[in-house]
Amino acid sequence: MTKDAHTPRMRAQARIIAPVADLLRKAGWVSVAAGLIWPLQAALIAWAVSQWVAGPVRLDLSVMAALGVAALGIVRAELERLAGGWLFAAADETIRRERDALILREARAPGADSSAAVAALAVQKLPLLQPWITRYHVAMTRVRVVPLVLLALVFSLSWVAGLVLLVAGPLIPVFMALVGMAAEDASRRQMDEIAGINDLTLERLTAMLDIRLLGAQRRVIDGFALRADDLRDRTMAVLRVAFLSSTVLELFAALGVALVAVFVGFTLLGEIGFGSWAQPLTLGEGLFILLIAPEFFQPLRELAAAWHDRAAGFAVVEELDRLDAAPRAVMLGQGARVQPLPGPLSIRTNGAGVAYAGTQIAVPDLSVQAGDALVLTGPSGAGKSTVLSALAGLVPCAQGQIEVCGQPLTTDSADAWRARIALVPQRPHFADVPLCAWLDPRGTGMDPAEALALAGATQIVARLPQGLKTRLGESGGGVSGGEARRLMIARAVMMGGDVLLADEPTADLDPETATHIIDALKRLNEAGRTLICASHDPALIAAFDTRVEVGA
Amino acid sequence: MSALFNILRLLLTADRKAMWRGAMLSVLVLLMGAALLGLSGWFITATGLAGLAGVGIAFDVFRPSAGVRFLALGRTAARYGERLLTHDATLRALAALRVAVLRRQSEADGRSLMQLRGSAGLTRIIADVDALDGIVLRLVLPAFAALVTHLVVFALLAWLVGVPVAMTVLVGYLPAAALILWRLGRCGMAPSRQAEAEQQALQRGIIDMMRDREALILAGELGAQEQALMQTDMRARRAAGTLDQADRAAAAQLSALVAIVTAAAFVAGAVLLGRGVIDPAVAVIATFVALALGEAVMPLRRGFAELGRMQDGAARVEIAAQPLADAAPIDPVPDAPLLTLRLGGDEVALTPGDFVALEGASGSGKTTLLLGIAGLHPVPDIRIKGRAPQDWPEAQLRRIVAMLPQRSALISGTVRDNLSLAGDYSDAAMKEVLEVVDLWAALSPRGGLDLRLTEADAGLSGGQAKRLSLARALLLKPEILLLDEPTEGLDAQTAQRVLTNLRRYLPDAAVLAALHRGHDQAEFDRMLRIEPQARR
């Protein structure tokens, strides 16, 4: 393998495994200890059976041996449980660390990935690291120790039996590569199949209203069943081969055990005179070999089963790495609640520009005083929204300066500056909270009636089934686009401050509603708020004195 | 529990034959594993005895050693077959479950279908269905195979070794294993439900935080929101930890149980041996078989640990019990107008060829009225050819009424795939409707009907996607065409062109279009106004 193929793996190792390496090592060794209890149990059983054969049956010895076997079994179970606890802790700690990092970064410095994709990564994909952490490493530790110890034990009793295992054993690593790859492929195929069929289901459900209105339910559902059938056929074709190669692994294990059993039987009959050391093999020794032979193969099979967990883990790490490396617009300041910036209001920009995702957006030179009303115009894509974001310190300037209330807008002043402004974003988003809480993000506890009236939204709330206690959720099911926009304006009013930034406040609205909104904005301006809108709506532009072209 | 049984029935009957053969092979694998260890143990002890007695020559080594080899190979082969068959059966079941869910959702009313789109509810349905996938492969099949194997082994041990030994193994395993697994299922119920709920809350919370970030930052609440999410995460992980603890405890108990039953079987063998009923080679069989039966019991743990999650999912996932039935067609009322409805206090009638705009401020109920006419929402006083929309059989109603919803969804695939949702139409017919909606000129240089729309409507602008959806509805050549904001996202000229073409394409249809932009109304013969009223 080339060095390049190793690098992502090593990165994954360093990122996920290294921080919990101590726990994993501890768990690995305890698990090895548990694995080494089996030879003791096997020895007890073999010894007790040879006692049966040696003379009259002594029930007390049998009971003592049985008690020993049971007690050792309990110890073994408890050791496994202990190791399992550490492994869980290691995985839990890893998931916590990565999840917290995502939570603390994605809103402060958003990249290009959608919120749904980030949420899916944090909640659904991160747990895929768990099997890799808990199963693969412990299987790896066991496979390095347990088979070697068992092999040494068998060799000490019979070199032929040892040789059988030795030949079957190393053949397994040869097949392991094959089988591992095939198992990886098989599990990935199956996961792909499920993912594919889930995507298909999701899409059909999303389009179900259209499908229903077209009277196409049956056609679509039959088509879906057909596609699923086809996907299954193809998956099964791959699985047939993939399972075959893991069957080879089992075949070798089974043949190894069968050969050992037959060899031991023939030796005990005296038909085979070679294979053991000075003394001939006794019944007890024969039984012991038979009992531990399957355990010789067990760790190898566990490792094969855990193989694809590692691949799934790598895939998650790759996505985490990709997100880490993605270009981000880091906000200024902490987003903390602080005292508003003192001094009379003013905004002045001088040669400022934002560099984001490869494009340069120039902030027009502005000079805004308290009580001004300003409309930023320009074709869509010119960067009107970005300019508003820059004025709020939500994206950093690559060059030039923005000066607010007489001081430069920097990381230190951003929070205090934002305490003076409110913003109406372009797209509505209703979090999963009651409307009254959504309207009042600063938690002032004010009665929203006045703000709702100002935004012309009183009727909207009155119509909602539970009024201010309604949870609109997600895309605001239950209110139309225009209603959502008016609620956002009410929210901006509730947020207070003396500057209002509004991004396309009349987009997609009917003229009647748009007039309401423009009136509301005018009232706010007359009441003393400084207003900066981004819009290309002629009615809105006409309503205010100053317009500034963006991207000119 | 009954919800779980309904889904189980659906999954098991998706392909009875495959499922049944898979189950039989699962039993065979376990039985051959037990037989292999039992026979090997007997073989070695018996050869040891024969060797000691000096009668090695007389001992028939051929049959037992052939048996050992046969079982070793046979078990491997059976395992291969079992894996193939159970996976095949599971994939079939998986598709059947999703078909049933789709069917159920296709019968939902218009409002819930609109709200379903792109919501957390949708991802939740998928997550629930996913959780139910394991029910057969991880729970029912292994439990069935374990039970049958134990019973068969009991019969064989009773015959070969003796009833007391067989009883020891059966009574040792079954009640204790059942108790351990039942407790795991019970203890897992609450934490798995909580873990799931917290994870859903976390996922929604992250989306809320990212989409509403401006407001959170401006309000100085971002830090508090992050802390709250980390708390949610902690609760989710804690619940998962409780579940894991129960799972590990059950694993340890089952593992100890295997050792204890093996030891008990050993003592039982020794007792029979002491009484002189059997010889040592036979007495050892039970010990080895009891050991092998651990393989039947241990895998059950995983399925039972997920029981809570499965039951929860089953309670939420709605599936259609029956395939869609065709209602018998009914006749229209003679001489009744094509469409009548009540607006305010007035009765309004639409006749073929009418081109009517429905106007009203946002939220006045335009969409609800259109959904009502399409039979997807209960609205009183609507008559289509003299009958209420609900009285028409679904298939018949769809041939009369077509509707373009406000937010239309396209499916991934080609333009042709999307148009084919309306039915089987010739390329010429498809091209014609694309010309009507003024889209053909834009599509033909990019592959025309074969242009592939990758994800959702990527590759088309919002206005183009809307027009493609309109073309889809036009293919049906309906008698009544309902349009919800058909010109949204279109510039004025395109809007006008599309409306003019549309009227020429469907001269005999009654068209009712909900609009909020005044300037498009010039195309329409008359205007209906809908006044806001309390909804629901």
Side-chain angles (χ1 to χ4, degrees), chain A residues 38 73 100 117 152 303 311 432 437 447 486 489 506:
Chain A
W38 174 241
D100 287 359
L303 185 61
D432 187 34
D447 181 7
R486 279 183 274 172
I489 297 205
T506 56

Side-chain angles (χ1 to χ4, degrees), chain B residues 5-20 89 92-94 96-97 136 319 321:
Chain B
F5 279 122
N6 276 340
I7 286 177
L8 187 57
R9 194 165 51 221
L10 173 82
L11 293 177
L12 287 178
T13 53
D15 186 340
R16 281 168 212 262
K17 216 164 74 183
M19 196 60 82
W20 193 239
R92 279 173 206 275
L94 201 130
L97 178 58
V136 170
I319 56 169

Side-chain angles (χ1 to χ4, degrees), chain A residues 95-277:
Chain A
I95 292 171
R96 185 196 64 74
R97 193 185 61 234
E98 294 293 345
R99 219 175 245 173
D100 287 359
L102 286 174
I103 290 173
L104 290 173
R105 182 183 65 200
E106 291 301 324
R108 291 174 184 272
D113 286 79
S114 74
S115 57
V118 171
L121 173 64
V123 179
Q124 280 158 8
K125 292 189 189 160
L126 278 182
L128 294 180
L129 293 172
Q130 184 167 353
W132 173 36
I133 295 169
T134 57
R135 284 175 39 175
Y136 177 78
H137 280 86
V138 102
M140 207 61 182
T141 315
R142 276 173 91 124
V143 97
R144 285 192 186 126
V145 181
V146 175
L148 292 182
V149 172
L150 296 184
L151 189 65
L153 284 172
V154 172
F155 249 110
S156 72
L157 296 172
S158 158
W159 60 266
V160 170
L163 209 60
V164 170
L165 295 186
L166 190 60
V167 171
L171 272 181
I172 285 177
V174 175
F175 280 101
M176 282 282 301
L178 196 78
V179 167
M181 280 186 291
E184 205 168 295
D185 198 40
S187 68
R188 206 179 46 233
R189 280 299 169 127
Q190 208 192 338
M191 277 164 85
D192 283 354
E193 147 95 346
I194 293 175
I197 209 164
N198 276 349
D199 286 350
L200 206 58
T201 314
L202 200 68
E203 197 183 78
R204 294 300 178 265
L205 283 174
T206 305
M208 194 51 89
L209 178 63
D210 294 82
I211 290 169
R212 177 89 190 269
L213 286 167
L214 291 166
Q217 296 104 299
R218 182 162 311 166
R219 201 160 36 244
V220 164
I221 291 172
D222 288 352
F224 175 86
L226 219 63
R227 280 270 289 271
D229 242 21
D230 181 48
L231 267 172
R232 195 196 69 240
D233 278 346
R234 276 183 288 145
T235 310
M236 287 311 296
V238 177
L239 287 183
R240 265 190 278 277
V241 181
F243 286 158
L244 197 65
S245 42
S246 67
T247 301
V248 170
L249 172 69
E250 280 181 17
L251 186 67
F252 268 78
L255 277 182
V257 175
L259 274 178
V260 166
V262 171
F263 164 76
V264 168
F266 275 78
T267 309
L268 289 176
L269 279 175
E271 295 200 354
I272 296 178
F274 61 93
S276 36
W277 307 104

Side-chain angles (χ1 to χ4, degrees), chain B residues 19 41 60 130 158-159 177 229 251 253 259 266 284 298 326 333 363 371 384 391 394 455 460 474 481 504 507:
Chain B
M19 196 60 82
D60 173 15
D130 256 353
W159 171 54
L229 286 179
Q253 286 157 4
F266 183 78
V284 94
M298 294 301 286
D326 277 324
V333 174
L371 283 175
I384 295 170
D391 294 344
E394 175 86 16
E455 184 151 358
L460 292 185
L474 290 180
L481 178 62
R504 206 173 303 141

Side-chain angles (χ1 to χ4, degrees), chain B residues 46-274:
Chain B
T47 52
L49 282 171
L52 282 179
V55 293
I57 308 298
F59 190 85
D60 173 15
V61 289
F62 178 72
R63 279 191 297 171
S65 62
V68 167
R69 283 192 304 266
F70 165 74
L71 287 171
L73 297 181
R75 182 172 176 277
T76 311
R79 183 109 183 80
Y80 176 68
E82 180 226 349
R83 275 195 192 150
L84 271 190
L85 284 176
T86 51
H87 274 81
D88 185 58
T90 306
L91 290 180
R92 279 173 206 275
L94 201 130
L97 178 58
R98 282 157 181 78
V99 164
V101 168
L102 282 177
R103 234 179 232 146
R104 174 71 188 77
Q105 289 297 331
S106 78
E107 291 161 6
D109 77 296
R111 282 258 162 233
S112 47
L113 285 177
M114 275 170 74
Q115 278 171 17
L116 187 65
R117 176 169 303 167
S119 69
L122 209 54
T123 40
R124 174 139 217 174
I125 290 177
I126 298 293
D128 283 340
V129 169
D130 256 353
L132 290 169
D133 284 344
I135 187 172
V136 170
L137 204 56
R138 288 201 283 276
L139 190 68
V140 177
L141 271 185
F144 169 81
L147 195 65
V148 173
T149 304
H150 272 280
L151 294 177
V152 173
V153 162
F154 171 78
L156 287 175
L157 281 183
W159 171 54
L160 284 172
V161 187
V163 176
V165 170
M167 271 312 240
T168 308
V169 174
L170 187 75
V171 173
Y173 265 124
L174 280 194
L179 186 70
I180 293 168
L181 293 170
W182 178 75
R183 270 187 40 196
L184 173 61
R186 266 185 65 94
C187 294
M189 212 73 91
S192 68
R193 187 167 299 161
Q194 199 202 343
E196 175 63 20
E198 299 289 358
Q199 279 180 14
Q200 295 277 353
L202 184 63
Q203 192 156 4
R204 222 171 26 231
I206 292 176
I207 292 176
D208 281 349
M209 177 178 77
M210 289 177 68
R211 293 231 182 112
D212 207 18
R213 66 182 284 267
E214 291 100 343
L216 285 169
I217 293 170
L218 260 56
E221 286 294 315
L222 185 60
Q225 180 72 14
E226 288 166 344
Q227 291 304 320
L229 286 179
M230 288 196 282
Q231 289 294 318
T232 309
D233 168 50
M234 199 194 65
R235 285 193 300 273
R237 284 183 300 104
R238 199 175 280 165
T242 313
L243 187 64
D244 183 71
Q245 219 165 12
D247 187 28
R248 267 184 293 122
Q253 286 157 4
L254 286 176
S255 164
L257 181 68
V258 174
I260 291 169
V261 176
T262 305
F266 183 78
V267 172
V271 170
L272 285 194
L273 185 65

